Amino acid sequence: MTIHELHQKLVNKELSALELTKAVIAHKEAVEGQVHAYLSDSHEQALAVAEAVDAKIAKGEAIAPLAGIPGAVKDNICIKGQPATCASKMLENFIPPYNASVIEALQGQDFISLGKVNMDEFAMGGSTENSALAKTTNPWNADYVPGGSSGGSAAAVSSGSAIWALGSDTGGSIRQPSSYCGVVGLKPTYGNVSRYGLIAFASSLDQIGPVARDVTDAALVLNAITGHDDHDSTSIPGQRPDYTKALVNDVKGMTIGVPKEYFGDGLHEDVRKAMEEAIETYRSLGAAIKEVSLPTTKYALSAYYIIALAEASSNLARYDGVSYGLRVPADNLVEMSTKTRTIGFGPEVQRRILLGTYVLSAGYYDAYYLKAMKARRLIKEEFDRAFEDVDVLLAPVAPNTAFKFGEKINDPLSMYLEDICTVPVNLAGIPAISIPAGFASNGMPIGMQLMGKPMGEEAILQAAYTFEQARPECNKVAPTGEVQL
Amino acid sequence: MKYETVVGLEVHTELKTKSKIFCGCTTEFGGDQNTHVCPVCLGLPGCLPVLNKKVLDYAIKVGLALHCDILGFNKFDRKNYYYPDLPKNFQTSQYDLPICLNGYLDIEVGGKTRRIRITRIHMEEDAGKLVHSGSTISTSDSSNVDYNRTGVPLLEIVSEPDMRSGEEARAYVEKLRSILKYLDVSDVRMEEGSLRCDANISVRLVGDDKLGTKTEIKNMNSLSALQKGVEYEALRQAELVDDGGQVVQETRTWDDGKGMTLSMRKKEAENDYRYFPEPDLVPLTISDEQIEDARKTLPELPDAKMARFQDEYGLSNEDSRILTALRETADYLDATVKAGADAKGAANWMLGDLSKMVNEANITFKDAPVKPEQLAKMMALITKGTISGKIAKKVLASMWDTGKDPDVIVEEQGLVQITDTGAIEALVKQVIADNPKSVEDFKSGKGKAIGFLVGQVMKASKGKANPGMVNQMLKEELSK
Amino acid sequence: MKISHEEIQKIALLSRLHIPDEKLAETEKALSDILTYVEQLEELDLTDVQPMAHAVPLYNVYREDKVVPSLDHELALSNAPEEDNGYFKVPRVVQE
């Protein structure tokens, strides 16, 4: 069930927001035993908002498209008075005294959050296995990871325990789990959505975005959270369009670029096949297909990890046991902070902090960080040139579909390599959407990525929407994902 | 004088903005602990900084006043280190592209002008405050953290190692303080910590070009502590080198009570600050037009004022230096002159009686109860002969106490000078009659005796007789 | 590049993390693997390329110098691990 369908039912009074919220909570309780997408609940607040929405409907007032439709929020986005753990022992008891700007915006639209959802600790990882607090499974097959870091967001939407969710994407953290769980995930242009209140992993790469059942819902959620924010210096100024206006079922006259570097060795055959079929679909719908080359792509992962980890090492320095979060007592301050961090952070977070510290440290800055920032410019300029000739770029979201638990967790580098198709987008700051594009032979969903130019969300939404209309069989609901109303 | 002292200073000055550098919390002093804080300055997860425009405006002003180049492209960086008064464990500062580079400041020591080059000026955020449970940091079992000062805007002004003595270091900070005061961008109170300075000190043999190993001295909380600290440290290093030892590059703290610098043990590895561009703030571009606009808002600065006081007012170098050290003092003189007073005369009153009163009251000329216009009026009364210079001192004191105009005081207290020839003549005759001895002395050629007789007449008139007339008439009477 | 145990201990100190001796070898391998991988950047010709710190070129973002109310005092201290009379309390700062 989608936001746009449910909104019509609410407006037509076929269904009350309270009934809907109760139904989704009941469904959530049924599937959560298996999926474990949530880290905390806010059912009471959800029911209160639902009642308020019903009151508005009863009075004949207009309601926002998201009003009364239960969603979920990744646990690195601050909601005043509710935990924001980042799936870390470090913040297990942290209650933010303020709202993220996206939450402020959503609260003005009567949004309902059923709770905060799981993720890789501090958004570091691609499987949600790095959560220190829960193990989220893939709703398509519980032996498989849901992807990450927004694994909870994708699993919640896929399993129907939320109609939509907010995730965050630093190097693919919305797109990859959306792809693994067979839902739609959108990473907006850097600066399109405010980061104020998003607990930082890598500040120059992080962006909040929607995880949704279909492209229309993704556009609706984006509409609800987009906009300039005075609290975020990196927020792009100016008005935003109504993104639902881009939902036009037509790609005639559009040029879709296919960057060959995303189709190299290591791409799973099933994924390659799905991409080729998608290209054929677009061709048959009248789009021009153009092969392009982005040769610096192969260096993106290196640049990404250097930049992301450098920023992370600094962003995570604040967790020292002094004024919030975990404190492991010790006789003196250095020991207290060291113990707190050693116990409070999981192994992957510690590894990334060490690496980030190393690449910034005296004598290594030029060799790593400075080079990475230069490579970043090359990557960005390459995208800029490509978008002179094409409207969107089409690529896989990940070289493989979801993997099994434990498969990669002990080999950090192989885990990092799964991000190879998603990180260039974050380095360049451009928008990209992941949409279902079929299924692998093992039944797991395959995602297709459409990338656009800066603030070019409309083009990727249009291309994604057209594909979704043409190939409805690609977007199926996961076995347990249908909410009974 | 075998060794030469080499000093460079890093001065941190808190800017007088209403709100903090990256959030809207007040910068006011004296709130209860942790009441001037918000998610941003507490460094809570998810919070982001937004630059206070005033900080940039002030930085440009200071840069221009110190003859710096203003960088058309500058940016913020993170300086990473752990300290509990730093909630994010990094300080948002400027590293390789600061707002200002390459300035200078002229100081005068022992009658000679020395130019001290300024390397750079950058904007950054202040840290919070640690309150220790014991008397010092090392004897405390625990400490308490107050983040009220966290995020107060700072300018760090870094000099080249161009100073050669504690006295020069002191003169540099005094001059810098004066300029910052003139610009009205900082309270510059060293004791309160709104101006702090760290000194990099080394010694070398006189004539050597190469710099010796330096130490960094912190915690010199007054001008005299700065001078003493530099002198002590230079001597310590010279003695060390003389004894065949080597100066260790380290940070030391000035202990004002003990009158010495002490080593602050710190692991060398921790001095790796891992600067990198602040991703949460965007770069700043400053146009030439913006710089020129800022230049127009600069007030007349001490050097220019001093030159003008000498040229226009005919004041001595020393007097104009004293009168321009504080903007309030210089403004007072200008206002008094503008109100019609003679500049030299006004300067004398200001350097004399008024300075005493101002100092005793521990205020500046700006808050003096005697306003410049009133001083000018009082001086006019002297010129007109309404009161004598001596009575004027009395009048000034009354003006200070009551805030009343001089003519009102003269009127109320009946201090109008006696210029009536008859009245003075009567007093003169009386005094001559009462002091035959002095009259005798005068007549026998002791000219000085006239002074005593004038004094007696003045006394008899309760100071109100016109001294010139008294003198004149006495002489006439005695030569009869 | 292979990272030495000494360097690992240095960055651990800078990061306020403790790495027990028995984990040094494992840490060394993980870090060295990744550092070796990212060194492929050396293949790129980066002369004359300006570093790019931000994804979106924005400049001169300010706020006016206006005071807004601070956080309620209790809320400010609500997450404090240890509080003392309105302060955040920490153990002794000097390590002996």
Side-chain angles (χ1 to χ4, degrees), chain A residues 119-135:
Chain A
M119 54 190 279
D120 283 299
E121 184 177 8
F122 284 99
M124 296 178 178
S127 66
T128 311
E129 290 169 285
N130 291 329
S131 168
L133 305 179
K135 178 185 170 183

mmCIF file with all atom_site columns, all heavy atoms in Angstrom, chain A residues 119-135:
data_model
loop_
_atom_site.group_PDB
_atom_site.id
_atom_site.type_symbol
_atom_site.label_atom_id
_atom_site.label_alt_id
_atom_site.label_comp_id
_atom_site.label_asym_id
_atom_site.label_entity_id
_atom_site.label_seq_id
_atom_site.pdbx_PDB_ins_code
_atom_site.Cartn_x
_atom_site.Cartn_y
_atom_site.Cartn_z
_atom_site.occupancy
_atom_site.B_iso_or_equiv
_atom_site.pdbx_formal_charge
_atom_site.auth_seq_id
_atom_site.auth_comp_id
_atom_site.auth_asym_id
_atom_site.auth_atom_id
_atom_site.pdbx_PDB_model_num
ATOM 1   N N   . MET A 1 119 ? 19.937 0.500   11.911 1.00 0.00 ? 119 MET A N   1
ATOM 2   C CA  . MET A 1 119 ? 20.938 0.961   10.934 1.00 0.00 ? 119 MET A CA  1
ATOM 3   C C   . MET A 1 119 ? 22.288 0.372   11.323 1.00 0.00 ? 119 MET A C   1
ATOM 4   O O   . MET A 1 119 ? 22.442 -0.171  12.407 1.00 0.00 ? 119 MET A O   1
ATOM 5   C CB  . MET A 1 119 ? 21.014 2.494   10.996 1.00 0.00 ? 119 MET A CB  1
ATOM 6   C CG  . MET A 1 119 ? 21.281 3.032   12.411 1.00 0.00 ? 119 MET A CG  1
ATOM 7   S SD  . MET A 1 119 ? 21.087 4.820   12.547 1.00 0.00 ? 119 MET A SD  1
ATOM 8   C CE  . MET A 1 119 ? 22.680 5.334   11.913 1.00 0.00 ? 119 MET A CE  1
ATOM 9   N N   . ASP A 1 120 ? 23.235 0.472   10.440 1.00 0.00 ? 120 ASP A N   1
ATOM 10  C CA  . ASP A 1 120 ? 24.602 0.177   10.859 1.00 0.00 ? 120 ASP A CA  1
ATOM 11  C C   . ASP A 1 120 ? 25.022 1.268   11.832 1.00 0.00 ? 120 ASP A C   1
ATOM 12  O O   . ASP A 1 120 ? 24.653 2.438   11.660 1.00 0.00 ? 120 ASP A O   1
ATOM 13  C CB  . ASP A 1 120 ? 25.540 0.173   9.648  1.00 0.00 ? 120 ASP A CB  1
ATOM 14  C CG  . ASP A 1 120 ? 25.419 -1.094  8.831  1.00 0.00 ? 120 ASP A CG  1
ATOM 15  O OD1 . ASP A 1 120 ? 25.692 -2.180  9.386  1.00 0.00 ? 120 ASP A OD1 1
ATOM 16  O OD2 . ASP A 1 120 ? 25.030 -1.013  7.650  1.00 0.00 ? 120 ASP A OD2 1
ATOM 17  N N   . GLU A 1 121 ? 25.786 0.890   12.818 1.00 0.00 ? 121 GLU A N   1
ATOM 18  C CA  . GLU A 1 121 ? 26.201 1.831   13.849 1.00 0.00 ? 121 GLU A CA  1
ATOM 19  C C   . GLU A 1 121 ? 26.786 3.101   13.204 1.00 0.00 ? 121 GLU A C   1
ATOM 20  O O   . GLU A 1 121 ? 27.708 3.026   12.393 1.00 0.00 ? 121 GLU A O   1
ATOM 21  C CB  . GLU A 1 121 ? 27.241 1.178   14.752 1.00 0.00 ? 121 GLU A CB  1
ATOM 22  C CG  . GLU A 1 121 ? 27.651 2.078   15.906 1.00 0.00 ? 121 GLU A CG  1
ATOM 23  C CD  . GLU A 1 121 ? 28.638 1.402   16.867 1.00 0.00 ? 121 GLU A CD  1
ATOM 24  O OE1 . GLU A 1 121 ? 29.114 0.297   16.574 1.00 0.00 ? 121 GLU A OE1 1
ATOM 25  O OE2 . GLU A 1 121 ? 28.931 2.015   17.910 1.00 0.00 ? 121 GLU A OE2 1
ATOM 26  N N   . PHE A 1 122 ? 26.229 4.242   13.565 1.00 0.00 ? 122 PHE A N   1
ATOM 27  C CA  . PHE A 1 122 ? 26.645 5.537   13.014 1.00 0.00 ? 122 PHE A CA  1
ATOM 28  C C   . PHE A 1 122 ? 26.648 5.536   11.482 1.00 0.00 ? 122 PHE A C   1
ATOM 29  O O   . PHE A 1 122 ? 27.429 6.231   10.853 1.00 0.00 ? 122 PHE A O   1
ATOM 30  C CB  . PHE A 1 122 ? 28.001 5.980   13.573 1.00 0.00 ? 122 PHE A CB  1
ATOM 31  C CG  . PHE A 1 122 ? 27.899 6.497   14.982 1.00 0.00 ? 122 PHE A CG  1
ATOM 32  C CD1 . PHE A 1 122 ? 28.225 5.696   16.063 1.00 0.00 ? 122 PHE A CD1 1
ATOM 33  C CD2 . PHE A 1 122 ? 27.415 7.779   15.231 1.00 0.00 ? 122 PHE A CD2 1
ATOM 34  C CE1 . PHE A 1 122 ? 28.091 6.163   17.371 1.00 0.00 ? 122 PHE A CE1 1
ATOM 35  C CE2 . PHE A 1 122 ? 27.284 8.250   16.521 1.00 0.00 ? 122 PHE A CE2 1
ATOM 36  C CZ  . PHE A 1 122 ? 27.629 7.443   17.600 1.00 0.00 ? 122 PHE A CZ  1
ATOM 37  N N   . ALA A 1 123 ? 25.770 4.729   10.911 1.00 0.00 ? 123 ALA A N   1
ATOM 38  C CA  . ALA A 1 123 ? 25.596 4.660   9.445  1.00 0.00 ? 123 ALA A CA  1
ATOM 39  C C   . ALA A 1 123 ? 26.823 4.096   8.736  1.00 0.00 ? 123 ALA A C   1
ATOM 40  O O   . ALA A 1 123 ? 27.014 4.315   7.544  1.00 0.00 ? 123 ALA A O   1
ATOM 41  C CB  . ALA A 1 123 ? 25.207 6.029   8.868  1.00 0.00 ? 123 ALA A CB  1
ATOM 42  N N   . MET A 1 124 ? 27.652 3.377   9.487  1.00 0.00 ? 124 MET A N   1
ATOM 43  C CA  . MET A 1 124 ? 28.874 2.833   8.899  1.00 0.00 ? 124 MET A CA  1
ATOM 44  C C   . MET A 1 124 ? 28.700 1.355   8.593  1.00 0.00 ? 124 MET A C   1
ATOM 45  O O   . MET A 1 124 ? 28.833 0.503   9.474  1.00 0.00 ? 124 MET A O   1
ATOM 46  C CB  . MET A 1 124 ? 30.038 3.033   9.857  1.00 0.00 ? 124 MET A CB  1
ATOM 47  C CG  . MET A 1 124 ? 30.336 4.507   10.089 1.00 0.00 ? 124 MET A CG  1
ATOM 48  S SD  . MET A 1 124 ? 31.660 4.701   11.271 1.00 0.00 ? 124 MET A SD  1
ATOM 49  C CE  . MET A 1 124 ? 31.820 6.472   11.271 1.00 0.00 ? 124 MET A CE  1
ATOM 50  N N   . GLY A 1 125 ? 28.392 1.087   7.335  1.00 0.00 ? 125 GLY A N   1
ATOM 51  C CA  . GLY A 1 125 ? 28.260 -0.304  6.935  1.00 0.00 ? 125 GLY A CA  1
ATOM 52  C C   . GLY A 1 125 ? 27.262 -0.428  5.820  1.00 0.00 ? 125 GLY A C   1
ATOM 53  O O   . GLY A 1 125 ? 26.584 0.539   5.447  1.00 0.00 ? 125 GLY A O   1
ATOM 54  N N   . GLY A 1 126 ? 27.178 -1.633  5.283  1.00 0.00 ? 126 GLY A N   1
ATOM 55  C CA  . GLY A 1 126 ? 26.289 -1.851  4.151  1.00 0.00 ? 126 GLY A CA  1
ATOM 56  C C   . GLY A 1 126 ? 25.401 -3.053  4.352  1.00 0.00 ? 126 GLY A C   1
ATOM 57  O O   . GLY A 1 126 ? 24.914 -3.653  3.395  1.00 0.00 ? 126 GLY A O   1
ATOM 58  N N   . SER A 1 127 ? 25.151 -3.424  5.616  1.00 0.00 ? 127 SER A N   1
ATOM 59  C CA  . SER A 1 127 ? 24.344 -4.623  5.849  1.00 0.00 ? 127 SER A CA  1
ATOM 60  C C   . SER A 1 127 ? 23.486 -4.523  7.104  1.00 0.00 ? 127 SER A C   1
ATOM 61  O O   . SER A 1 127 ? 22.685 -5.408  7.372  1.00 0.00 ? 127 SER A O   1
ATOM 62  C CB  . SER A 1 127 ? 25.257 -5.843  5.975  1.00 0.00 ? 127 SER A CB  1
ATOM 63  O OG  . SER A 1 127 ? 26.052 -5.721  7.150  1.00 0.00 ? 127 SER A OG  1
ATOM 64  N N   . THR A 1 128 ? 23.669 -3.465  7.872  1.00 0.00 ? 128 THR A N   1
ATOM 65  C CA  . THR A 1 128 ? 23.010 -3.290  9.172  1.00 0.00 ? 128 THR A CA  1
ATOM 66  C C   . THR A 1 128 ? 23.501 -4.321  10.187 1.00 0.00 ? 128 THR A C   1
ATOM 67  O O   . THR A 1 128 ? 23.029 -4.364  11.320 1.00 0.00 ? 128 THR A O   1
ATOM 68  C CB  . THR A 1 128 ? 21.463 -3.254  9.033  1.00 0.00 ? 128 THR A CB  1
ATOM 69  O OG1 . THR A 1 128 ? 21.129 -2.330  7.995  1.00 0.00 ? 128 THR A OG1 1
ATOM 70  C CG2 . THR A 1 128 ? 20.759 -2.767  10.280 1.00 0.00 ? 128 THR A CG2 1
ATOM 71  N N   . GLU A 1 129 ? 24.473 -5.128  9.791  1.00 0.00 ? 129 GLU A N   1
ATOM 72  C CA  . GLU A 1 129 ? 25.074 -6.062  10.757 1.00 0.00 ? 129 GLU A CA  1
ATOM 73  C C   . GLU A 1 129 ? 25.896 -5.321  11.802 1.00 0.00 ? 129 GLU A C   1
ATOM 74  O O   . GLU A 1 129 ? 26.193 -5.856  12.857 1.00 0.00 ? 129 GLU A O   1
ATOM 75  C CB  . GLU A 1 129 ? 25.980 -7.068  10.034 1.00 0.00 ? 129 GLU A CB  1
ATOM 76  C CG  . GLU A 1 129 ? 25.239 -8.075  9.189  1.00 0.00 ? 129 GLU A CG  1
ATOM 77  C CD  . GLU A 1 129 ? 26.188 -8.856  8.297  1.00 0.00 ? 129 GLU A CD  1
ATOM 78  O OE1 . GLU A 1 129 ? 26.661 -8.278  7.294  1.00 0.00 ? 129 GLU A OE1 1
ATOM 79  O OE2 . GLU A 1 129 ? 26.484 -10.013 8.602  1.00 0.00 ? 129 GLU A OE2 1
ATOM 80  N N   . ASN A 1 130 ? 26.283 -4.074  11.474 1.00 0.00 ? 130 ASN A N   1
ATOM 81  C CA  . ASN A 1 130 ? 27.075 -3.312  12.437 1.00 0.00 ? 130 ASN A CA  1
ATOM 82  C C   . ASN A 1 130 ? 26.224 -2.626  13.500 1.00 0.00 ? 130 ASN A C   1
ATOM 83  O O   . ASN A 1 130 ? 26.751 -1.874  14.317 1.00 0.00 ? 130 ASN A O   1
ATOM 84  C CB  . ASN A 1 130 ? 27.912 -2.245  11.723 1.00 0.00 ? 130 ASN A CB  1
ATOM 85  C CG  . ASN A 1 130 ? 29.025 -2.868  10.895 1.00 0.00 ? 130 ASN A CG  1
ATOM 86  O OD1 . ASN A 1 130 ? 29.537 -3.925  11.252 1.00 0.00 ? 130 ASN A OD1 1
ATOM 87  N ND2 . ASN A 1 130 ? 29.379 -2.227  9.796  1.00 0.00 ? 130 ASN A ND2 1
ATOM 88  N N   . SER A 1 131 ? 24.928 -2.870  13.480 1.00 0.00 ? 131 SER A N   1
ATOM 89  C CA  . SER A 1 131 ? 24.104 -2.341  14.572 1.00 0.00 ? 131 SER A CA  1
ATOM 90  C C   . SER A 1 131 ? 24.512 -3.039  15.862 1.00 0.00 ? 131 SER A C   1
ATOM 91  O O   . SER A 1 131 ? 24.633 -4.264  15.898 1.00 0.00 ? 131 SER A O   1
ATOM 92  C CB  . SER A 1 131 ? 22.625 -2.610  14.299 1.00 0.00 ? 131 SER A CB  1
ATOM 93  O OG  . SER A 1 131 ? 21.872 -2.344  15.478 1.00 0.00 ? 131 SER A OG  1
ATOM 94  N N   . ALA A 1 132 ? 24.695 -2.236  16.906 1.00 0.00 ? 132 ALA A N   1
ATOM 95  C CA  . ALA A 1 132 ? 25.045 -2.830  18.202 1.00 0.00 ? 132 ALA A CA  1
ATOM 96  C C   . ALA A 1 132 ? 23.787 -3.226  18.963 1.00 0.00 ? 132 ALA A C   1
ATOM 97  O O   . ALA A 1 132 ? 23.868 -3.817  20.028 1.00 0.00 ? 132 ALA A O   1
ATOM 98  C CB  . ALA A 1 132 ? 25.863 -1.836  19.020 1.00 0.00 ? 132 ALA A CB  1
ATOM 99  N N   . LEU A 1 133 ? 22.625 -2.893  18.398 1.00 0.00 ? 133 LEU A N   1
ATOM 100 C CA  . LEU A 1 133 ? 21.402 -3.036  19.186 1.00 0.00 ? 133 LEU A CA  1
ATOM 101 C C   . LEU A 1 133 ? 20.402 -4.045  18.648 1.00 0.00 ? 133 LEU A C   1
ATOM 102 O O   . LEU A 1 133 ? 19.567 -4.533  19.401 1.00 0.00 ? 133 LEU A O   1
ATOM 103 C CB  . LEU A 1 133 ? 20.730 -1.661  19.333 1.00 0.00 ? 133 LEU A CB  1
ATOM 104 C CG  . LEU A 1 133 ? 21.624 -0.552  19.918 1.00 0.00 ? 133 LEU A CG  1
ATOM 105 C CD1 . LEU A 1 133 ? 20.863 0.765   19.992 1.00 0.00 ? 133 LEU A CD1 1
ATOM 106 C CD2 . LEU A 1 133 ? 22.145 -0.937  21.300 1.00 0.00 ? 133 LEU A CD2 1
ATOM 107 N N   . ALA A 1 134 ? 20.412 -4.362  17.369 1.00 0.00 ? 134 ALA A N   1
ATOM 108 C CA  . ALA A 1 134 ? 19.430 -5.319  16.845 1.00 0.00 ? 134 ALA A CA  1
ATOM 109 C C   . ALA A 1 134 ? 19.931 -5.900  15.528 1.00 0.00 ? 134 ALA A C   1
ATOM 110 O O   . ALA A 1 134 ? 20.752 -5.289  14.835 1.00 0.00 ? 134 ALA A O   1
ATOM 111 C CB  . ALA A 1 134 ? 18.081 -4.639  16.621 1.00 0.00 ? 134 ALA A CB  1
ATOM 112 N N   . LYS A 1 135 ? 19.401 -7.072  15.203 1.00 0.00 ? 135 LYS A N   1
ATOM 113 C CA  . LYS A 1 135 ? 19.738 -7.694  13.923 1.00 0.00 ? 135 LYS A CA  1
ATOM 114 C C   . LYS A 1 135 ? 18.513 -7.636  13.031 1.00 0.00 ? 135 LYS A C   1
ATOM 115 O O   . LYS A 1 135 ? 17.509 -8.315  13.258 1.00 0.00 ? 135 LYS A O   1
ATOM 116 C CB  . LYS A 1 135 ? 20.160 -9.150  14.149 1.00 0.00 ? 135 LYS A CB  1
ATOM 117 C CG  . LYS A 1 135 ? 20.484 -9.907  12.869 1.00 0.00 ? 135 LYS A CG  1
ATOM 118 C CD  . LYS A 1 135 ? 20.768 -11.379 13.152 1.00 0.00 ? 135 LYS A CD  1
ATOM 119 C CE  . LYS A 1 135 ? 20.841 -12.177 11.843 1.00 0.00 ? 135 LYS A CE  1
ATOM 120 N NZ  . LYS A 1 135 ? 21.045 -13.619 12.100 1.00 0.00 ? 135 LYS A NZ  1
#
